């Protein structure tokens, strides 16, 4: 998603209140997505271990809540509309990929 935005000419410069402007690069996106994936996988593993019957639906609900909350920083920074749209789409893409691709429990 970041690359599509970059190809479309999106300026990924964001400015938080009281902070200098920062350019959000592909490396930062990849590292945050990897961290989210690892935390999500760990949460799913814990749920499968201690709440086997409800693990998947609880985890999907948790993933949706975390995704919605992840929009707070996107909406609270100063950035172009294109940057906010592309960064928000990246959040959704990571969530969809994690929900769809994390392993199913073995039966």
């Amino acid at each position: 998603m970041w690359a599509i935005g970059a190809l479309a000419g999106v300026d990924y410069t964001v400015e938080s209140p009281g902070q200098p402007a920062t350019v959000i690069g592909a490396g930062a996106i990849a590292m945050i997505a990897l961290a989210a994936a690892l935390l999500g996988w760990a949460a799913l593993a814990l749920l499968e271990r201690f709440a086997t019957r409800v693990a998947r639906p609880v985890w999907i609900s948790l993933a949706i809540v975390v995704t919605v909350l992840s929009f707070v920083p996107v909406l609270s920074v100063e950035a172009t509309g294109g940057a906010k749209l592309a960064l928000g789409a990246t959040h959704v893409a990571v969530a969809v990929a994690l929900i769809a691709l994390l392993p199913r429990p073995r039966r």
Side-chain angles (χ1 to χ4, degrees), residues 70-101:
S70 77
F71 282 97
V72 171
V74 172
L75 298 174
S76 67
V77 297
E78 292 293 323
T80 65
K84 288 185 177 189
L85 180 65
L87 291 171
T90 301
H91 288 224
V92 172
V94 169
V96 168
L98 290 177
I99 291 169
L101 299 176

